[in-house]
Amino acid sequence: MSDEPKVVRTVGKYTIKVIQSKCIAAASCVAISPDIFKLNEANLVEIIDGGVDDEDNILLAAQSCPTGAIEVYEGASRVWPPGEDL
Ligand code: SF4
């Protein structure tokens, strides 16, 4: 298994991308969606491989991040945070 942090994953209709350099370990994403997000030993967000959660809840977790460190895409369209598409 790779030691690379898991920072991109597709769950259902959403592709989730975490920007570790923006993560300040507030952990609200982990509190809302603990099967998808975790903090690693360095206190940086990672995506859990194989974990499942409701798509709406994943979006809620992304929206809870105070620094916008979690991006959510549906196809080429960025759902969160509002901004550029892929
Ligand atoms: S909510 Fe944002 S800042 Fe907090 S742990 Fe998750 S990604 Fe990091």
Side-chain angles (χ1 to χ4, degrees):
M1 217 165 88
S2 162
D3 286 339
E4 287 292 304
K6 183 94 181 163
V7 293
V8 179
R9 212 191 121 195
T10 299
V11 181
K13 65 181 178 182
Y14 289 146
T15 298
I16 316 159
K17 184 175 166 192
V18 295
I19 318 295
Q20 289 189 321
S21 59
K22 288 188 178 178
C23 179
I24 56 166
S28 46
C29 60
V30 180
I32 292 173
S33 186
D35 292 330
I36 298 291
F37 300 104
K38 69 170 182 180
L39 288 174
N40 66 17
E41 308 73 36
N43 258 349
L44 294 172
V45 66
E46 277 187 32
I47 303 173
I48 299 168
D49 215 2
V52 291
D53 195 5
D54 183 71
E55 292 160 348
D56 291 340
N57 202 52
I58 292 170
L59 184 57
L60 201 65
Q63 290 170 336
S64 79
C65 178
T67 65
I70 304 173
E71 298 180 352
V72 179
Y73 295 85
E74 185 173 355
S77 298
R78 188 153 99 180
V79 179
W80 188 263
E84 327 89 62
D85 290 345
L86 275 180

